[in-house]
C-alpha cells in the first residue's frame, strides 16, 4: 500500500459521511465571510427559518467595497454602503463574529484570517471567494465557494463535495535574490497554464518552497486558483508553527502542545503517489511580468513581448493577438521598455508586512517618475498598516510620492473608487490581469512588490536585480 | 422549501427559443442583496416599454401589451410554456429566484440549459421536458380564447388537461423526492444531523483546539 498525500490526510479527517457514488459530506472548521457573496445566503437562512449551525466557526469582515481614504465619513456609493451595512446587520442577527469597517483588525479576509490565527494548520477553510486558496499555505484545505454553498455551510457546517486529484509541483534548488514567491507563482502558471491545475489540488514542495516565508507561501497558494486548481497546499514545518504561535485565535499552553503534535503529521508520506508531478528549477526563474490578459501570458523581465506569428496553434495565436491589442503592445518590445501610468501595491496576494518592507527597501530615498500618475500602497489589514507605520514604512512611501491608504481590496478589482481609467497601464501586485479587472479598459501587468516599486521609480519595468 | 403538491394552474405561453438568464432577469437587478423581490422585474425588457432600473415602482411603468405575461388571459399563471434551450447563459441563481418569486411553479419546454435546470430544483421549481411535438400542441391550446388549465401531479408524473388528455413526464427520482418533501440541498444535509453531531463529538476529543469558542 502506498502512503497518503497531505490532501488525502486532510480530506479523510473531514469526511462526515460518503455516498455510494463518492459524494462526501465534508466538515468545515472555519468559514470566512465578506459582504459581497453573503447577503443572499443570510436571506436564505431567514426565509427557511434556519440558524447558523456553529456561528463562532465563522469570521466576517467587509473588504471588497470599503473605501481606502476618509473612511470615517462612511461609504459614498449607495450600493457598496448597503452591502457593508447588510453584513453588519446579518452578523448581529445571527451572532457571527465580525471585524467591522472601523475595527483596527479589519482588512482583506485572506490577510486577516492567518494574521489572527483564525486559519490553523489541518483546518478546512472556506469563503465565498476564489482566493481562499491562500490559506493552504498553513497545511489547511482551503477553497472558494458560491453563494448557495455559503448558505449551506452556515446552516450545516458542511459542504457536499467530491474529491479532487493530487498534483505536486516541486520547485527545486535555490531562487536567486530579487526572485520572490510571486515570480515563482507566475513562472509555475506560465509553465502549466491557467487550466493546468483543473481537477487537482496542488501541493507545492521542494527546497525553494521550504525556503519561502509564510507570507511567501501565502502569495504562492493565493495564485493557485489562477492555475485552475481550487486549492494549493504547503506542508507544515517549523516556520508554520512559529507564525501561528501566540496569534489571538491560536490554541495556548496544553492545547498548543497537543495541536503541534497533530500538525507535525501534516505532510505527504515519503511513498505517497501523485496523479501528476511537475518540477521546476528555482535557479532558472527570473522576475516575471505578465504582458497579456491572462496570468499565463507572462514573460521574464529580461525578455520581450512575444510574437503571435511564432505561435503554431492558431487559436492561441488569435488569443495573443487579441490580448496585445487590448494591452496596446507591439510584439517584440523589450519588457523593460513598457512604461506605466499607475502602480498598485496591495491585494490578498501581496499586501502583508513583508511585501511592504520589500517595496520600501527598493524605493528608500527615491521618488516616483514623473510619468507615473499615481502609486497606491494599500495594506492588507489594519494591523499590517499599524506595523508598517511603526517601522516608518509609510514615510518612505509618502516621501517617494506614493499614496498610503487604509486596508481593503481596493484597485485589485475596482469595486470601490480606486480604479484605472480606460487605456491606463498599471504595474500591479494583485492576481488577475483580466480585461477590465482594475477598471473598464484598464491594462494590468502582474508583478512582485519589488518589481512594482521599482517600476514606479523608473517609470517603466526594470529588472529589480540590477536596480 | 415548500413541499410540491398536486395543483391546477393556468399556462402562460412564451413563444421564443433560447431565452437566456439575462432576458429572464436583466443584469442591473443582480446588484441586489436579496433573493426575493425579483418577480416584478421578471422578463423586464420584454414586459415593459421603458428601461428598468432597480428600485422603481413597477406598477407605474408602461406595459408592453404584446407580451404574454401582460395578457389578461394569463394573469395568475403558475405554469410557463417555453421553447428550446430555456435558461441558457449565466449560472447565477437569480433567474429561478425571479421565476419563483413571480409565482411560477412549473416550466415546460423541449429542452433546458443544464445549470438552470439544476438550479430550478434547488429553488422549488419543476422543469418538465416534453418532446417538441407535444409542446407545439400545447402552444396551440394555450393560445385559445380561454386560458389553458393543467393539473400537475408530480407523484404520478402526469399533466392532465381540462379535456381529460393525460401527458406523462420524466423526472429524476431523487429530485422528485426532494420536491415532494420540500427538501433543498440544505434540508437533505440536515437529514444527516446525527452524523454531523457524531463527527463533531469525535473531533472535539481528537482536536479540541478546533472548538475553542471565543
Ligand atoms: S484582494 Fe482582490 S483577489 Fe483578494 S479577495 Fe480582494 S478582490 Fe479578491
Amino acid at each position: 500500500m502506498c502512503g497518503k498525500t497531505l490532501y488525502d490526510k486532510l480530506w479523510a479527517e473531514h469526511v462526515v459521511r460518503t455516498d455510494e457514488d463518492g459524494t462526501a459530506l465534508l466538515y468545515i472548521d472555519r468559514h470566512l465571510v465578506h459582504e459581497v457573496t453573503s447577503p443572499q445566503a443570510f436571506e436564505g437562512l431567514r426565509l427557511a427559518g434556519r440558524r447558523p449551525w456553529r456561528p463562532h466557526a465563522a469570521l466576517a469582515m467587509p473588504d471588497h467595497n470599503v473605501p481606502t481614504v476618509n473612511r470615517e465619513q462612511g461609504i459614498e456609493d449607495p450600493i457598496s454602503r448597503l452591502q457593508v451595512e447588510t453584513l453588519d446587520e446579518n452578523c448581529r442577527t445571527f451572532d457571527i463574529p465580525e471585524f467591522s469597517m472601523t475595527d483596527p483588525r479589519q482588512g482583506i479576509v485572506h490577510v486577516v484570517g492567518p494574521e489572527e490565527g483564525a486559519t490553523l494548520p489541518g483546518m478546512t477553510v472556506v469563503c465565498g471567494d476564489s482566493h481562499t486558496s491562500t490559506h493552504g499555505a498553513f497545511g489547511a484545505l482551503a477553497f472558494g465557494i458560491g453563494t448557495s454553498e455559503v448558505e449551506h455551510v452556515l446552516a450545516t457546517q458542511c459542504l457536499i463535495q467530491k474529491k479532487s486529484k493530487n498534483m505536486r509541483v516541486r520547485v527545486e534548488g535555490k531562487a536567486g535574490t530579487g526572485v520572490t514567491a510571486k515570480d515563482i507563482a507566475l513562472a509555475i502558471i506560465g509553465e502549466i497554464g491557467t487550466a493546468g491545475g483543473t481537477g487537482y489540488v496542488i501541493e507545492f514542495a521542494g527546497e525553494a518552497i521550504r525556503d519561502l516565508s509564510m507570507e511567501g507561501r501565502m502569495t504562492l497558494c493565493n495564485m493557485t486558483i489562477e492555475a485552475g486548481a481550487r486549492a494549493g497546499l504547503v506542508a507544515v514545518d517549523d516556520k508554520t508553527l512559529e507564525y501561528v504561535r501566540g496569534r489571538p485565535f491560536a490554541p495556548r499552553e496544553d492545547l498548543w502542545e497537543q495541536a503541534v503534535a497533530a500538525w507535525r503529521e501534516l505532510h505527504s508520506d515519503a511513498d505517497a503517489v501523485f496523479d501528476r508531478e511537475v518540477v521546476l528549477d528555482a535557479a532558472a526563474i527570473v522576475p516575471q511580468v505578465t504582458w497579456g490578459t491572462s496570468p499565463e501570458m507572462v514573460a521574464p523581465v529580461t525578455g520581450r513581448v512575444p510574437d503571435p506569428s511564432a505561435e503554431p496553434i492558431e487559436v492561441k495565436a488569435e488569443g495573443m493577438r487579441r490580448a496585445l491589442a487590448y494591452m496596446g503592445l507591439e510584439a517584440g518590445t523589450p519588457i523593460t521598455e513598457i512604461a506605466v501610468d499607475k502602480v498598485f501595491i496591495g491585494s490578498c496576494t501581496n499586501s502583508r508586512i513583508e511585501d511592504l518592507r520589500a517595496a520600501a527597501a527598493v524605493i528608500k530615498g527615491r521618488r516616483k517618475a514623473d510619468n507615473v500618475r499615481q502609486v497606491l500602497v494599500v495594506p492588507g489589514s489594519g494591523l499590517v498598516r499599524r506595523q508598517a507605520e511603526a517601522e516608518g514604512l509609510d514615510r518612505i512611501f509618502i516621501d517617494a510620492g506614493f499614496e498610503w491608504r487604509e486596508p481593503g481590496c481596493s484597485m485589485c478589482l475596482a469595486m470601490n473608487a480606486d480604479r484605472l481609467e480606460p487605456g491606463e497601464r498599471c504595474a500591479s501586485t494583485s492576481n488577475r490581469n483580466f480585461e477590465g479587472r482594475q477598471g473598464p479598459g484598464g491594462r494590468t501587468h502582474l508583478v512582485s512588490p519589488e518589481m512594482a516599486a521599482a517600476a514606479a521609480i523608473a517609470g517603466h519595468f526594470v529588472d529589480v536585480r540590477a536596480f | 422549501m415548500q413541499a410540491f403538491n398536486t395543483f391546477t394552474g393556468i399556462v402562460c405561453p412564451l413563444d421564443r427559443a433560447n431565452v437566456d438568464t439575462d432576458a429572464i432577469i436583466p443584469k442591473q437587478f443582480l446588484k441586489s442583496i436579496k433573493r426575493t423581490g425579483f418577480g416584478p422585474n421578471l422578463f423586464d425588457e420584454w414586459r415593459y416599454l421603458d428601461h428598468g432600473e432597480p428600485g422603481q415602482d413597477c406598477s407605474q411603468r408602461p406595459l408592453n401589451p404584446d407580451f404574454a405575461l401582460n395578457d389578461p388571459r394569463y394573469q395568475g399563471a403558475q405554469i410557463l410554456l417555453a421553447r428550446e434551450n430555456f435558461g441558457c447563459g449565466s449560472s447565477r441563481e437569480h433567474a429561478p429566484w425571479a421565476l419563483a418569486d413571480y409565482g411560477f411553479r412549473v416550466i415546460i419546454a423541449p429542452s433546458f440549459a443544464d445549470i438552470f435546470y439544476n438550479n430550478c430544483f434547488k429553488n422549488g421549481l419543476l422543469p418538465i421536458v416534453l418532446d417538441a411535438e407535444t409542446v407545439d400542441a400545447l402552444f396551440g391550446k394555450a393560445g385559445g380564447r380561454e386560458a389553458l388549465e393543467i393539473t400537475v401531479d408530480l407523484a404520478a408524473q402526469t399533466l392532465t388537461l381540462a379535456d381529460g388528455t393525460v401527458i406523462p413526464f420524466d423526472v429524476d427520482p431523487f429530485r422528485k423526492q426532494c420536491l415532494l418533501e420540500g427538501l433543498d440541498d440544505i434540508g437533505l444535509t440536515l437529514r444527516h444531523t446525527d452524523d454531523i453531531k457524531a463527527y463533531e463529538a469525535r473531533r472535539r476529543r481528537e482536536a479540541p483546539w478546533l472548538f475553542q469558542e471565543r
Side-chain angles (χ1 to χ4, degrees), chain A residues 31-96:
Chain A
H31 184 190
L32 301 167
V33 177
H34 67 78
E35 80 278 20
V36 178
T37 51
S38 66
Q40 273 106 358
F42 282 113
E43 200 199 3
L45 285 189
R46 233 182 237 116
L47 289 173
R50 292 180 175 130
R51 302 284 308 173
W53 181 277
R54 233 185 100 195
H56 287 238
L59 176 63
M61 68 205 68
D63 54 9
H64 284 64
N65 280 289
V66 299
T68 58
V69 282
N70 300 331
R71 187 166 286 184
E72 56 296 338
Q73 289 165 22
I75 306 176
E76 218 174 293
D77 174 43
I79 291 171
S80 293
R81 189 172 58 230
L82 182 61
Q83 281 193 335
V84 171
E85 286 171 356
T86 304
L87 180 67
D88 295 345
E89 153 95 46
N90 283 328
C91 289
R92 264 195 307 276
T93 311
F94 291 106
D95 185 31
I96 296 211

Side-chain angles (χ1 to χ4, degrees), chain A residues 54-360:
Chain A
R54 233 185 100 195
H56 287 238
L59 176 63
M61 68 205 68
D63 54 9
H64 284 64
N65 280 289
V66 299
T68 58
V69 282
N70 300 331
R71 187 166 286 184
E72 56 296 338
Q73 289 165 22
I75 306 176
E76 218 174 293
D77 174 43
I79 291 171
S80 293
R81 189 172 58 230
L82 182 61
Q83 281 193 335
V84 171
E85 286 171 356
T86 304
L87 180 67
D88 295 345
E89 153 95 46
N90 283 328
C91 289
R92 264 195 307 276
T93 311
F94 291 106
D95 185 31
I96 296 211
E98 188 202 10
F99 296 166
S100 68
M101 193 169 85
T102 50
D103 190 304
R105 298 166 295 180
Q106 177 271 345
I108 306 170
V109 73
H110 308 310
V111 174
V112 175
E115 183 175 79
E116 288 294 315
T119 303
L120 294 173
M123 274 183 163
T124 39
V125 180
V126 297
C127 175
D129 188 281
S130 57
H131 291 96
T132 310
S133 59
T134 311
H135 309 263
F138 290 83
L141 179 57
F143 51 89
I145 55 178
T147 294
S148 292
E149 292 176 309
V150 170
E151 183 182 344
H152 196 280
V153 175
L154 284 170
T156 69
Q157 209 55 44
C158 292
L159 266 181
I160 299 167
Q161 288 284 303
K162 282 210 166 151
K163 198 171 176 221
S164 306
K165 287 183 287 182
N166 281 292
M167 173 159 157
R168 179 160 62 186
V169 174
R170 279 174 25 222
V171 188
E172 296 295 357
K174 290 219 175 281
T177 39
V179 176
T180 69
K182 182 66 160 286
D183 302 303
I184 295 176
L186 287 169
I188 292 171
I189 296 166
E191 174 81 20
I192 68 173
T194 47
T198 307
Y200 293 96
V201 164
I202 301 179
E203 179 175 346
F204 298 100
E207 185 183 4
I209 306 299
R210 285 194 298 277
D211 281 352
L212 290 175
S213 65
M214 288 313 294
E215 284 87 348
R217 294 177 191 180
M218 284 188 254
T219 301
L220 180 64
C221 287
N222 174 277
M223 297 287 289
T224 318
I225 185 78
E226 310 313 329
R230 264 185 113 185
L233 288 170
V234 177
V236 171
D237 63 8
D238 289 342
K239 277 186 199 166
T240 324
L241 302 179
E242 269 325 298
Y243 183 99
V244 172
R245 187 197 294 274
R247 306 244 163 212
F249 285 64
R252 290 173 197 280
E253 295 162 16
D254 287 0
L255 219 46
W256 169 259
E257 297 303 332
Q258 203 183 338
V260 166
W263 295 342
R264 291 271 181 211
E265 301 299 315
L266 294 174
H267 53 78
S268 291
D269 295 335
D271 56 346
V273 177
F274 289 81
D275 300 294
R276 187 178 171 200
E277 187 133 33
V278 175
V279 183
L280 273 78
D281 174 13
I285 300 174
V286 302
Q288 305 277 307
V289 180
T290 65
W291 52 266
T293 51
S294 154
E296 70 183 18
M297 294 174 165
V298 65
V301 65
T302 48
R304 291 168 183 272
V305 175
D307 187 352
S309 58
E311 170 58 54
I313 305 167
E314 185 43 39
V315 197
K316 265 197 158 178
E318 186 47 37
M320 289 168 75
R321 274 191 284 273
R322 238 183 298 123
L324 291 183
Y326 180 85
M327 294 297 288
L329 290 175
E330 293 288 332
T333 309
I335 297 289
T336 49
E337 279 177 21
I338 301 172
V340 297
D341 304 309
K342 285 187 175 170
V343 175
F344 171 59
I345 299 174
S347 90
C348 57
T349 315
N350 283 124
S351 64
R352 300 177 186 84
I353 189 68
E354 181 183 81
D355 301 312
L356 302 186
R357 282 182 194 140

